[in-house]
Amino acid sequence: MIRRTIPTPDGEFAAGFSANGLRRLRFPGSEPLAASEPEFLAPASQQTEHWFELTREALLAILAGHNVPKLPPLDLASGTDFQRRIWQALLEIPAGETRTYQEIARRIGSPGATRAVGNACGANPIPVLIPCHRVIAAHGRIGGFSSDMDWKIRLLEREGSWPLAKSPVGATQGWFDLQT
DNA sequence: CTATGGTTCATAG
DNA sequence: CTATGAACCATAG
């Protein structure tokens, strides 16, 4: 695992690369990448530096509310097949749009697995680049977020998806019923 | 309130 | 080690 930090206007993110690509990303302020992760002590190859640059650009783009120009290869080996299918589906959500947990579940061919989608999102090793923040609950509820809810809201704001557009009818949406 | 599906953890063989 | 089951969820109805 090769670690790098990425300064952004929102603070310093931490990225970890394996031999196969970007393996994990962490928000500013969280604990340093676990020392328990197997160290991959290969010299920082030219390829890794290139991945790092792509990661930096992608991160800055999303923080600015834009679509990602080009993603680095993602090392999703830490997930199960099910999780990888979900993460893959999340990558297809463009900036400025959202999907519900149900839509993701249907997309990967397990219409009933909505709650499992929530689990998989929580296990997302690469937040922001894998846009778990664009997944919301049905009926205009926002759902949750493993890190601070502030991040989910902030990211959606930058993309123009907040307050949530899909307001079914009548009910107070967005600002008041979004806790827990 | 209940049903849902995948994952994780505890426990038993 | 595998098998089974219950609890856990960023849910839906």
Side-chain angles (χ1 to χ4, degrees):
Chain A
M1 179 82 94
I2 296 178
R3 301 185 206 145
R4 289 286 185 281
T5 56
I6 304 180
T8 76
D10 295 284
E12 193 170 73
F13 284 68
F17 297 86
S18 73
N20 299 318
L22 177 61
R23 181 149 184 138
R24 48 195 304 198
L25 190 65
R26 303 201 56 161
F27 286 107
S30 31
E31 292 304 306
L33 291 177
S36 58
E37 284 282 329
E39 284 293 317
F40 178 65
L41 289 180
S45 63
Q46 204 173 5
Q47 181 179 57
T48 306
E49 294 306 321
H50 182 228
W51 291 346
F52 168 66
E53 185 57 27
L54 287 176
T55 303
R56 196 177 64 82
E57 288 170 5
L59 184 56
L60 290 173
I62 295 185
L63 290 177
H66 301 146
N67 270 307
V68 175
K70 183 165 171 34
L71 280 170
L74 305 181
D75 179 0
L76 271 25
S78 64
T80 64
D81 285 348
F82 179 79
Q83 289 169 333
R84 276 195 291 272
R85 260 184 278 140
I86 289 174
W87 298 337
Q88 188 59 48
L90 298 188
L91 289 172
E92 295 170 11
I93 309 175
E97 293 186 28
T98 58
R99 296 290 184 275
T100 64
Y101 293 96
Q102 188 177 50
E103 284 170 324
I104 300 298
R106 188 152 14 94
R107 184 83 168 75
I108 63 167
S110 304
T114 53
R115 295 195 74 180
V117 170
N119 271 343
C121 291
N124 174 11
I126 312 175
V128 186
L129 294 201
I130 295 178
C132 43
H133 59 281
R134 297 186 190 134
V135 186
I136 59 179
H139 302 88
R141 289 182 306 230
I142 186 167
F145 202 61
S146 40
S147 315
D148 283 322
M149 284 296 292
D150 294 345
W151 272 106
K152 183 169 186 174
I153 294 176
R154 190 188 311 187
L155 290 166
L156 289 174
E157 276 176 343
R158 303 259 173 93
E159 298 174 351
S161 300
W162 184 265
L164 296 176
K166 39 181 66 183
S167 285
V169 205
T172 307
Q173 299 297 333
W175 295 106
F176 298 105
D177 61 350
L178 50 76
Q179 292 312 323
T180 67

